[in-house]
Amino acid sequence: MKRVLKWVGVIVLLLVLIVAGFAAWIQFSGMPTYDVAVVEMTIPSTPERLVRGRELATSLCVHCHLDPATRIASGKEIVDLPKEFGRAFSKNITNHRTAGIGGWSDGEIVWLLRTGIHPRTGEYVPPWMPKFPRLSDEDMASIVVWLRSDDPYVAAADVPNRPAEPSFLAKFLSRIAFKPLPYPSAPVAHPDTTNSVVWGKYLALGVYDCYSCHSGDFAKMDMLTPENSFDFFAGGNMMPDAAGKAVSTSNITMDKTTGIGSWTREQFITALKTGFRPDGSQIRYPMARFVQASDASIGAIYDYLKTVPTINKPRGVVELHDAGATASAGKKAYYRYECIRCHGESGLGIADLQLADTKYATDSLMSDVIRHINTYQPESYMPKYEDRIPESDMASLIAYVRQLGQASKR
Ligand code: HEC
Ligand code: HEC
Ligand code: HEC
C-alpha cells in the first residue's frame, strides 16, 4: 500500500513539474514562430490604386496605427485590448526605411497581411492585428501602393516600435488556439462589382470583416470559410470599449424581431453613415461608421445580408456607463452621448480629447467640431451628432471637455 502511495506521489509530482515546465516555457519563449515563404512581387502604382488604397487603408488600418498627437501612422497603444491579453502597440507603418516599413519588400507586406506571420522574425502576429485572407489581390495591391505613397499619414517618421507585452494567456492561446493563415495557393480574384450581392458579400466578408465581430463567438469563428462561423451574423460577441465596458455585437441577420429585418436599405445606409439607428438611438463603439464607403457599397452589403439565413437571437448584454447621480451635467452628457466609449474616462481613449481645449479656443468652434467632425477630420468615424445634441446639453458638455483638457495639464 505504502509503495503504491509513493508511486502515486511521484507521478503527481512529475505531472506538476511537467505543467510548471510547460507554463514556464510559454511564459519565457514568447510568441510561436513559423516558416516564412515570402512570394516576391513588384506592385506597380497607378492613380486608381492610389485612390482605392487610400479608401481601404483609411477605414481598415489608419485608426489603429495613427498616433493621435501627430496624425502619422507611427503606432500607438491599443487601449481597448482586454486587460487579460496584456498590452499591445500597433507598429510604425510609415515609409521610414528602418523605423517603419519603408525597407520592406512588397511581398513581405502582403505576406504579413495574408498570413499573420511576421516576414522578418517569423513570429506569429496576434489577432489584434487583423489578417486579410479574402481581400482580392487587386485590393491588396492598392493598399501596398498607398503605404508606399507620399500621403501625410505614412510620411517617414523615426518613431521606434514599442514591444508588445502579451500576458501569459495571450501567449498560451497563441500556442494552442490562435493560428496563422495559409498563404493563398491561387490568385484571389476581384469580385464582379456590378453584381450587388456578390460585391456586398465581398465587402462584408473579405474587406470590412463585418461577420467576425457580428458572429456569435470569436472562438468559434471560421476565418477561411466565414459562413461556418457560429451564429453567423447573429451577434453575441462581447466587445470592450476604451473605458473597459463591453457591448454585445448585434444580430444583423434580416430576422424581423431580433435582427434588422425591419430596416429598409435606405435606413441601413443612413445608419452606417451617421452612427445612429432608424429610431434615433446611437450605435455604440466599437461599431464604427463606414465613412469612406460609398452609398452603393453599403447598399450592396445590405443586399448581401438579405441572402444570409436569418437567425432569431435576442441581443446580448450592453454594459452601461454610469456617471453617478452627483456628477456634473457635463459629465452626465459625456456618458449619455457615449463619448466615454471612445474617449475614455480621462479623455485619453482611442482618440485624444485632451488637446481639444487648446485647439478649439471658442465654444462655438468646439460645438461645430463635435457636431460636424468630418468638416475637420474627413475620415473620422466619430458619430455624426449634428443636431442630435440639444444646445442645452452642448454648453455643459463643452465645459466638461475643457475640464478634461485642463486636468491633463496638471
Ligand atoms: C485593430 C487594430 C489594427 C488594425 C485595424 C490594423 N493593425 Fe496593423 N498592427 C496592429 C498591431 C497591434 C500590430 C502589432 C502586433 C504585434 O504585437 O505583433 C500591428 C502590426 C502591423 C505591421 C507589422 C509592422 C512591424 O514592423 O512589425 C504591419 C506592416 C501592419 N500592422 C500593417 C497594417 C495594415 C496595412 C493594416 C490595414 C490593412 C493594419 N495594419 C490594420 C493593429 C492593427
Ligand atoms: C469591431 C467590431 C465590429 C465590426 C467590424 C462591425 N461591427 Fe457592426 N456592431 C458592432 C457592435 C459592438 C454593435 C452594437 C452596438 C450597440 O449595441 O450600440 C454593432 C452594431 C451594428 C449595427 C446596428 C444594429 C443594431 O440595431 O444594433 C449594424 C447595422 C451593424 N453593426 C452593421 C455592421 C456592418 C454592415 C459591418 C461591416 C461593414 C459591421 N457592422 C462591422 C461591432 C462591429
Ligand atoms: C465612435 C467613437 C467616438 C465617439 C462616440 C465620440 N468620438 Fe470624438 N472623436 C473620435 C475620434 C476617433 C476622434 C479623432 C478624429 C479622428 O481622427 O477620427 C474624435 C475627435 C473628437 C474631437 C476633436 C479632437 C481634436 O483634437 O481635434 C472632439 C472635440 C470630440 N471628438 C468630442 C467628442 C464628444 C464631446 C463626444 C460625445 C458627444 C464624442 N467625441 C464622441 C471618436 C469618437
Side-chain angles (χ1 to χ4, degrees):
M1 191 61 192
K2 264 204 178 133
R3 200 185 220 125
V4 173
L5 277 182
K6 189 173 148 200
W7 278 108
V8 169
V10 168
I11 289 169
V12 167
L13 188 69
L14 272 178
L15 283 177
V16 168
L17 282 176
I18 290 172
V19 169
F22 181 65
W25 172 69
I26 287 181
Q27 179 63 10
F28 295 110
S29 64
M31 285 289 164
T33 54
Y34 292 88
D35 290 341
V36 175
V38 170
V39 179
E40 282 312 338
M41 57 183 87
T42 307
I43 299 177
S45 174
T46 63
E48 294 75 27
R49 280 184 172 164
L50 196 54
V51 171
R52 174 76 176 150
R54 190 169 203 286
E55 178 188 334
L56 290 170
T58 45
S59 49
L60 297 177
C61 324
V62 168
H63 61 101
C64 260
H65 281 271
L66 192 71
D67 176 339
T70 58
R71 299 203 64 80
I72 293 180
S74 60
K76 67 163 182 181
E77 175 155 17
I78 308 294
V79 294
D80 50 349
L81 183 73
K83 295 281 167 289
E84 305 85 75
F85 294 134
R87 291 176 78 188
F89 305 88
S90 62
K91 308 280 174 174
N92 183 335
I93 57 167
T94 71
N95 276 309
H96 195 280
R97 289 201 67 79
T98 49
I101 57 170
W104 289 28
S105 68
D106 292 350
E108 284 180 314
I109 297 177
V110 174
W111 170 264
L112 175 103
L113 295 177
R114 290 279 192 218
T115 64
I117 301 171
H118 198 284
R120 296 278 168 99
T121 63
E123 267 186 56
Y124 170 66
V125 180
W128 20 108
M129 162 65 203
K131 327 285 144 44
F132 300 89
R134 280 172 307 280
L135 200 68
S136 71
D137 290 332
E138 181 51 34
D139 276 348
M140 186 62 88
S142 297
I143 290 181
V144 173
V145 163
W146 181 80
L147 286 167
R148 306 284 196 212
S149 73
D150 56 6
D151 192 303
Y153 279 139
V154 285
D158 190 5
V159 177
N161 280 329
R162 280 190 283 174
E165 296 165 21
S167 65
F168 178 80
L169 178 68
K171 288 189 244 183
F172 179 69
L173 290 174
S174 298
R175 291 270 171 198
I176 61 151
F178 305 153
K179 290 279 172 264
L181 298 172
Y183 192 83
S185 53
V188 187
H190 200 58
D192 176 0
T193 55
T194 61
N195 180 324
S196 196
V197 171
V198 171
W199 178 235
K201 177 176 180 183
Y202 170 69
L203 294 174
L205 308 185
V207 181
Y208 297 119
D209 245 8
C210 316
Y211 85 94
S212 68
C213 285
H214 281 282
S215 64
D217 186 349
F218 284 123
K220 297 182 200 159
M221 187 173 98
D222 188 332
M223 284 186 75
L224 293 176
T225 317
E227 290 88 341
N228 293 345
S229 301
F230 170 67
D231 275 356
F232 186 55
F233 279 116
N237 270 314
M238 288 300 282
M239 308 270 322
D241 62 26
K245 297 259 194 238
V247 178
S248 158
T249 61
S250 22
N251 182 343
I252 58 166
T253 70
M254 291 292 167
D255 184 70
K256 283 264 189 269
T257 49
T258 58
I260 57 166
S262 61
W263 294 23
T264 66
R265 194 173 191 271
E266 282 311 305
Q267 287 175 326
F268 181 82
I269 296 173
T270 307
L272 264 78
K273 283 266 167 186
T274 60
F276 292 87
R277 295 186 184 84
D279 67 5
S281 61
Q282 189 170 336
I283 307 179
R284 302 173 193 87
Y285 180 81
M287 175 67 199
R289 277 197 299 133
F290 286 80
V291 190
Q292 269 70 255
S294 65
D295 287 8
S297 292
I298 299 176
I301 295 177
Y302 181 88
D303 296 339
Y304 161 65
L305 286 174
K306 286 221 124 176
T307 70
V308 170
T310 59
I311 298 177
N312 185 280
K313 181 182 182 184
R315 78 154 307 142
V317 178
V318 175
E319 291 178 3
L320 299 175
H321 285 284
D322 181 7
T326 55
S328 67
K331 185 171 184 181
K332 282 184 179 150
Y334 187 77
Y335 279 57
R336 178 153 20 94
Y337 294 106
E338 311 278 6
C339 319
I340 183 162
R341 293 213 186 251
C342 294
H343 292 293
E345 304 227 12
S346 64
L348 254 196
I350 56 155
D352 190 344
L353 197 51
Q354 297 183 340
L355 307 169
D357 176 42
T358 14
K359 269 166 82 178
Y360 310 113
T362 65
D363 285 2
S364 62
L365 178 57
M366 177 87 87
S367 161
D368 202 51
V369 172
I370 296 171
R371 293 193 191 286
H372 309 284
I373 188 75
N374 292 136
T375 315
Y376 303 85
Q377 305 288 0
E379 285 105 23
S380 182
Y381 59 76
M382 174 162 143
K384 276 194 164 173
Y385 285 104
E386 297 178 329
D387 52 9
R388 289 188 161 90
I389 303 175
E391 280 306 330
S392 49
D393 281 345
M394 190 51 104
S396 45
L397 184 60
I398 291 176
Y400 190 67
V401 170
R402 296 206 182 286
Q403 204 180 312
L404 289 177
Q406 281 148 21
S408 70
K409 283 183 217 135
R410 271 188 228 123

